[in-house]
Every structure is written in structure tokens, then in C-alpha cells.
């Protein structure tokens, strides 16, 4: 039989249950549920949980050292610093919203390089413009080579 775990949980069972219901991420819920089970006496040892005992030990050690906030802290990689910020981003938005705009993402890459000295990739520019700024390029729709220009003009005149 596994030996009983000696841990002093400072939060009440009601508080842990309430926090558990409000938790958003699965990892936070799992950690809160473990503490709640220990607090109400439903679990007494590592082996009663469906997790690797070393994980439970690591979580409990973190709880003892840093408390509940330390246990629930989810570390996230900071990622790369943004290349296009501030005035450059504002001028890009203005240029994208102007009537002439850009015809391709390559044009944007070269414009950023010439006007602002930024060496950015096509992929990054595409992601920034298309998804972050939610802008589209100013490219006319393709038209058929078989179109009759006279028929287009008469359509435009008689459409209204």
C-alpha cells in the first residue's frame, strides 16, 4: 500500500471547487482538481490519481513553494519580437487603404525594404497583411479575353 501524502492545503474545498469551475485551460483544471481531491479527502496518495506520480510530486512541490498562483501559472514562450511596429505599421495601413494600394505581397516586401529599411519575409508580410490587418491587395478581378467591350458598356448603361 502506498504511503499517505503529507500536504497542507491552505485554500478551502469550496474555494478550490469554485476556482475549478471558473478555470479555462485543461492543465489548470487538472491541477485544481488534484488539490481539491486532496483537500476533501477523496485522494490520499499519488497512486490513486490517473497521472504519473512524478508529475503529481512536481505539482505539489510547486504548490508548496509558490502557492496556488504558482501552481496555476502556465509558462508561455515569448516568441520573436515584432519586426513591423509603430510608425511603419501605421504607414503600411495607410498605403494598404489607399486607392492605389499594392498589387502583390512582393511589392509590400520591396516597399518595406526601400522606404523603411526592413528586411522581412514574404510569408511574414502575407500573414501580417491578410490575417492581422485583415486587408486585401488591390488587384482587379480577372476578366475573360473573349469579352466584348461594347457589350460591357451597354450593360453598364442599361443596368440601372
Amino acid at each position: 500500500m502506498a504511503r499517505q501524502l503529507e500536504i497542507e492545503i491552505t485554500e478551502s474545498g469550496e474555494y478550490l471547487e469554485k476556482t475549478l469551475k471558473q478555470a479555462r485551460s485543461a492543465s489548470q483544471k487538472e491541477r485544481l482538481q488534484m488539490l481539491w481531491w486532496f483537500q476533501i479527502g477523496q485522494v490520499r496518495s499519488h497512486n490513486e490519481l490517473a497521472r504519473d506520480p512524478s508529475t503529481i510530486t512536481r505539482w505539489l512541490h510547486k504548490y508548496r513553494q509558490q502557492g496556488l498562483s504558482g501552481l496555476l501559472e502556465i509558462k508561455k514562450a515569448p516568441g520573436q519580437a515584432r519586426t513591423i511596429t509603430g510608425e511603419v505599421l501605421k504607414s503600411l495601413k495607410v498605403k494598404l487603404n489607399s486607392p492605389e494600394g499594392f498589387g502583390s505581397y512582393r511589392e509590400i516586401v520591396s516597399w518595406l525594404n526601400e522606404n523603411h529599411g526592413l528586411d522581412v519575409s514574404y510569408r511574414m508580410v502575407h500573414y501580417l497583411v491578410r490575417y492581422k490587418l485583415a486587408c486585401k491587395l488591390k488587384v482587379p478581378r480577372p476578366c475573360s479575353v473573349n469579352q466584348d467591350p461594347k457589350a460591357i458598356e451597354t450593360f453598364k448603361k442599361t443596368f440601372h
Side-chain angles (χ1 to χ4, degrees):
M1 180 166 167
R3 99 182 142 94
Q4 286 192 357
L5 190 65
E6 298 289 329
I7 184 162
E8 183 180 327
I9 298 174
T10 57
E11 291 80 18
S12 68
E14 295 83 26
Y15 176 75
L16 288 172
E17 185 178 14
K18 182 178 139 195
T19 310
L20 175 63
K21 289 179 182 177
Q22 294 174 349
R24 294 284 174 230
S25 70
S27 61
Q28 287 180 341
K29 286 181 181 180
E30 194 174 19
R31 294 168 190 208
L32 281 166
Q33 190 166 32
M34 174 205 61
L35 276 182
W36 182 56
W37 282 342
F38 276 121
Q39 178 68 0
I40 64 172
Q42 185 173 349
V43 174
R44 288 182 173 50
S45 70
H46 290 80
N47 297 342
E48 295 178 35
L49 295 168
R51 261 305 200 155
D52 184 37
S54 63
T55 303
I56 302 298
T57 303
R58 191 174 61 248
W59 288 352
L60 292 175
H61 179 71
K62 196 168 194 176
Y63 176 75
R64 285 184 190 110
Q65 298 296 318
Q66 301 172 6
L68 186 62
S69 61
L71 178 68
L72 298 180
E73 178 187 356
I74 308 295
K75 292 185 179 175
K76 211 169 123 180
Q80 185 177 358
R82 293 182 185 245
T83 309
I84 302 173
T85 57
E87 292 299 320
V88 178
L89 190 61
K90 287 180 185 176
S91 64
L92 178 61
K93 285 181 188 178
V94 168
K95 182 82 170 156
L96 283 166
N97 291 328
S98 68
E100 64 273 358
F102 293 103
S104 71
Y105 294 108
R106 291 265 179 235
E107 283 182 31
I108 300 172
V109 170
S110 62
W111 180 82
L112 287 170
N113 193 357
E114 291 168 6
N115 295 343
H116 299 285
L118 294 175
D119 186 28
V120 292
S121 68
Y122 177 94
R123 182 178 177 206
M124 197 272 292
V125 168
H126 176 266
Y127 179 78
L128 174 73
V129 171
R130 188 76 176 104
Y131 301 107
K132 291 292 184 184
L133 301 177
C135 292
K136 293 186 179 180
L137 300 175
K138 305 290 193 252
V139 180
R141 290 184 179 183
C143 55
S144 173
V145 293
N146 300 330
Q147 280 184 342
D148 182 18
K150 292 179 185 175
I152 294 171
E153 287 302 317
T154 55
F155 175 76
K156 287 180 180 178
K157 288 179 184 176
T158 60
F159 181 67
H160 288 80

